[in-house]
Amino acid sequence: MKLFLKTTVLLLVLMWAASAEAYVGPGAGFALLGSFFVIFATMILAGVSLLILPFRTLWRMLRRRSKAKALAKRVIVVGFDGQDARMTEKLMAEGKMPNFSRLAERGCYSKLQTTYPSITPVAWSTFATGVNPGKHNIFDFLDRDPRTYLPRLSSAHIGSVERFFKIGKFKIPMSKPEIRLLRKSKAFWKVLGEHHIWSTILRVPITFPPEKFYGAQMGAMCIPDLLGTQGTFMLFSTRQSDESFQEGGMRLPLEGEGDHYRGKILGPENILIKGDPPMEIPFELKLDRERKKAELKIGGDVFPLEQGTLSDYLKLEFSVVPGMKVAGLSRLMLTEMEKEVSLYFSPINIEPEKPAMPISHPSYYSTYLEKRIGEFATLGLAEDTWALNEKITDDRAFWTQTQDVEQEREEMFFTALDKLRSGCLVTVFDATDRVQHMYWRYAEEGHPAAPEGAEDPRFEDAIREHYEKNDALIGRVMDRLREDDVLIVLSDHGFSSFRRGVNINAWLLKEGYLHLKEGTDGSTEWLQDVDWSKTRAYAVGLVGLFLNIRGREEHGIVEAGEEVEALKKELIEKLSGLRDDEKDEVGINEAFDTDLTYRGPYKGNAPDLLLGYNHGYRISWDCASGKVAGKIFEDNTKAWSGDHIIDPRLVPGIFLCSDPVDVENPHIVDLAPTILNLFGLEKAPHMEGRGLIHPASFRRAGA
Amino acid sequence: MEALNSILRPIFDATNALMGDWPVWLVCLIWAIPLSVFALWAFKKFSNQDAISATKDKIYACLFEIRLFNDDIRAILRAQWEILGHVLKYQALSLKPMIWILPPTLLMMVHLHAFYGFRALRPGEEALVIATLKAEVGNELRLELPSGLTAETPGVWAPEMHQMAWRIRADLPGDYLLRFRKGDQEATKTLRVGGRRGRLSPERPGRDFVAQLEWPSEEPFGRASFVQKINVSYPEAVVSFLGLEMQSQWAWMILFFVMTMVIALALKKPMGVEL
Amino acid sequence: MFGTSKIKLEKSLVDRIRKFSEIAGYASPEEFITHALEKELAQLEDADSEEEIKKRLQGLGYMS
């Protein structure tokens, strides 16, 4: 006893609590034991790993397939979604992108041909698999169900639970909802894995749900939000309005008066309760109008808010049944607090620490990243473009959100790069795409979405500023390159202006290819007014149009074979060079027959024709949502003012490599075989691209 | 120290009197609750909760790395090395709250030890009574026993230790006062035989601070006293829990320790404490 | 994706599948078989409801 006390007092005096805790017991004692346990556990883990290592090595040697010597130990691929070749070349020439120039000098720079259509999911799928869309089955963001003519997400099928065991008001699901990746073929990282070459794949589009392979992967587009949508923001407001948002948002009441208001956050449906009511979290809002601040009381916590400033992440925990929770992350902004009060909640990201559905491979990888870098956005299209379109948020909030997501991505990337001793690391940075979509209106004179220019001059040069940020990032990457690394920088497509929307369905109606039901005017969404028994062609999705083919579509009338071919020919002739008389410009350069464009087992799922719009043109908002009524050409007045779903020849991406390449006019389909070659592997049999670097001529830069 | 002990003594005496003959595990549980709540509160208040949380996240991240790169031995060792650093940092971070938690915990435990570490003598049992003196005055020391206690042996003097030892036998239950005389000076020591569970004093300490902290049951000997300290060898208490019996003065402490940990773990979430 | 299960096929059929999967543009015989079966299943399975579809697409930036 005496010894114990003396020691304790001594330790107290020495202020070394480490051992003292053991005596103190409560909590801290456990913590100490806990940390000992951690060390103990890691020792065991390490020991086991050491013991198994010889067997694993042996196994690997036995399984090793014929492989030439690798040219690179690490291949690092940095993707900038939507970084435009023209803009990049201009800025490089002006000396605004010194690191890109440095990389180009050391290795190479080239335009990168993109896929038909030049759209993110299609292009990155081709990047991953090394095949044309006919073999990977992604032709657009959307696909259509030929039985209902309704659009659906092309990349992932998320099923619903169909069998339940019911007790009173509760129902217990008897099966897991099915989540299936619709991108087919085989990604190059899977091939690398078969040869026991590690890959870390971060936020490459169309990697949800995650696939198994030797490596780690954090999913991206099209991971849904917690509500299962592609991103639904919430606006709580005291303003009375029956009007709902066109898209992407929910308007919810904010009740109260003076400085105190209340609301209820709507979460995902609770499938465990009859009627699937949405789960709710009530909150209270206390305003401090003088200081333009507020406090949000939610679940016993107080969260500070400031008017006009996007908050940090707020963790929202929805209780399914006691003891079972689903958690999400949202960022808030108090948009007004004078007479009327409005509070914006960004779409609720699936929380990466304990994700409600699989968003990474291995499943704990998102948890790992959260522990490493803190909370981060998981939503596929994490930047809330719709809130800006609807003028709920502003240029500043969108910029903050975009740059913060980019920062999270960079931390993820460098964390992975530091840990990568050999293998492949691919990271796609999305902000370049989002910034150009939303700030293009300021980049050119007289854009219909910003006839008076930028409200805040800070954003006039947002796009250029972002390109310069990309350049700085590449500088930081180059600083960390090792002797036997190869760095590849690419974008999946370029960018152009979106001044005029084209309603193809309106054109099809006018030309007599599409007919409306009696007594309707075509203003209903999702082609609900269309008389399918008389319609020969229709547009669903963003990039093309379908023929209403008998035996394929539910109410098809065009006979496969000659009739289809003749109709396609006729449409191509009429659509190629389609003029916008009001502006005296060509709206569509060319229509493409996908039967000729694509090869592979899935090409039957593609639209029958692809439309190659001219610069400044794109499918109109109305047409994208399935409205037939209205003008064929109309101004685009939304903040979403730049786009790339046009003639792919007009919007090439970029390609830079730390080593010179041997092939001219590289195409995004060439990347997968090139990366396999860099690791000493032959191009996989299913791949179509060319290896851009011949092993024979491969020289280390500067060597 | 004695001033503090004289305040604490009646408090612990009263509360323990309330709990009478309740099983030791129950008493431990009852004491563990306020202590755990206090410790958690103090931990939350006096520690850098954000830094602790961040450090723990780093440790978890390293553990995931070990799993993720399980065939890269260098990555594993690197992660382990990193964990070691984070654990040290974590220890350093829990130092500050410990300074607040430790003193009250210590005081509570020494007082409880007087109740639950030992048991009183039973009639017929023997015990050693050892008086440690300040100078070599052994031969002059006399022990006066009240009736109900019998000396089995005369005092045995161990000159090198300045100790005089007697073996005594308890005959009848009761609270006794042993009187030690040297000339006209006197020193006393309590001794308990039988009765309900109550405060015991295995040692009456001298002025030494640590000894006073350790043995708070009796007033310490004065500076002028010829006695350094007097010990009575009470038997160690028997504690039974879930059918297991253990005879050790530390047995209650183990129970107490486990219970505080369990309670702290159970309460850390409701109290919002990052441990 | 959540795990796989095995189904026995006649060896001669598997050989034929192997032979043609590459010619047809599949990355593996498994992909060939999966595609063939999914095409058949699509004929049998119900289509998703309009409401469900609308909900899932909500927020996709390119559409209005």
Side-chain angles (χ1 to χ4, degrees), chain A residues 109-348:
Chain A
Y109 166 85
S110 167
K111 288 186 173 70
L112 186 67
Q113 296 180 66
T114 183
T115 48
Y116 282 69
S118 46
I119 190 166
T120 300
V122 182
W124 286 112
S125 296
T126 289
F127 161 81
T129 56
V131 299
N132 84 92
K135 286 187 184 176
H136 66 52
N137 194 38
I138 304 293
F139 301 99
D140 190 349
F141 261 113
L142 308 167
D143 158 28
R144 56 92 181 82
D145 187 336
R147 291 165 297 183
T148 57
Y149 300 91
L150 289 171
R152 45 185 192 190
L153 207 58
S154 66
S155 61
H157 171 83
I158 306 175
S160 39
V161 179
E162 278 156 14
R163 288 184 307 140
F164 287 97
F165 181 70
K166 288 175 189 155
I167 322 172
K169 71 167 185 167
F170 295 103
K171 23 177 225 159
I172 297 154
M174 302 299 284
S175 61
K176 272 189 179 176
E178 186 202 20
I179 308 174
R180 188 157 28 105
L181 180 64
L182 299 177
R183 200 261 292 134
K184 304 293 183 181
S185 198
K186 193 191 268 182
F188 69 80
W189 47 83
K190 227 169 158 155
V191 180
L192 289 177
E194 286 166 5
H195 295 269
H196 212 81
I197 297 162
W198 176 275
S199 308
T200 305
I201 309 297
L202 298 174
R203 296 289 289 187
V204 176
I206 318 301
T207 49
F208 170 79
E211 290 180 294
K212 269 190 183 172
F213 65 101
Y214 178 63
Q217 182 181 63
M218 181 63 220
M221 188 186 280
C222 289
I223 292 180
D225 64 8
L226 205 56
L227 303 185
T229 73
Q230 285 299 303
T232 302
F233 67 83
M234 275 178 261
L235 184 74
F236 289 89
S237 182
T238 51
R239 287 179 186 275
Q240 299 295 317
S241 174
D242 299 330
E243 192 189 332
S244 71
F245 298 108
Q246 263 191 303
E247 190 67 32
M250 273 197 278
R251 201 187 277 277
L252 295 159
L254 193 62
E255 283 162 353
E257 53 186 8
D259 292 336
H260 291 267
Y261 296 88
R262 288 172 311 281
K264 268 183 196 161
I265 303 164
L266 292 189
E269 290 162 357
N270 191 343
I271 59 160
L272 299 185
I273 290 178
K274 220 155 117 185
D276 301 349
M279 294 179 248
E280 292 176 346
I281 304 178
F283 67 84
E284 278 176 46
L285 186 67
K286 192 173 161 240
L287 304 181
D288 180 348
R289 286 195 166 91
E290 221 159 86
R291 293 169 55 225
K292 294 196 178 300
K293 286 183 177 185
E295 282 182 343
L296 185 84
K297 283 187 190 159
I298 187 162
D301 287 327
V302 176
F303 190 73
L305 295 170
E306 205 174 316
Q307 187 183 6
T309 303
L310 200 62
S311 75
D312 291 339
Y313 285 113
L314 172 65
K315 186 166 164 177
L316 299 172
E317 289 187 300
F318 296 92
S319 176
V320 186
V321 285
M324 188 180 165
K325 281 176 183 164
V326 283
L329 299 175
S330 176
R331 296 183 74 177
L332 283 58
M333 188 165 107
L334 199 56
T335 56
E336 56 177 344
M337 61 185 302
E338 288 77 42
K339 196 157 159 282
E340 304 282 356
V341 183
S342 298
L343 176 63
Y344 156 84
F345 278 73
S346 78
I348 308 170

Side-chain angles (χ1 to χ4, degrees), chain A residues 1-2 5 15 21-22 24-25 27-28 31-32 35 42-43 50 196 214 368 371-372 418-419 421, chain B residues 57 61 63-65 67 71-74 76 78 80 82-83 90-91 94-95 98 101-102 214 257 264:
Chain A
M1 188 77 183
K2 183 146 191 165
L5 273 176
M15 300 212 307
E21 285 167 16
V24 180
L32 179 85
S35 52
T42 55
M43 292 288 186
L50 265 176
H196 212 81
Y214 178 63
Y368 160 70
K371 296 288 178 201
R372 262 283 167 225
D418 283 347
K419 306 288 168 201
R421 285 210 299 124
Chain B
D57 280 351
L63 284 175
F64 281 125
E65 256 160 35
R67 209 172 138 191
D71 49 3
D72 180 350
I73 202 70
R74 272 209 268 173
I76 293 171
R78 194 160 88 158
Q80 271 199 301
E82 221 182 297
I83 286 178
Y90 175 78
Q91 298 295 342
S94 37
L95 219 108
M98 277 311 128
I101 295 170
L102 210 55
E214 189 180 355
F257 186 55

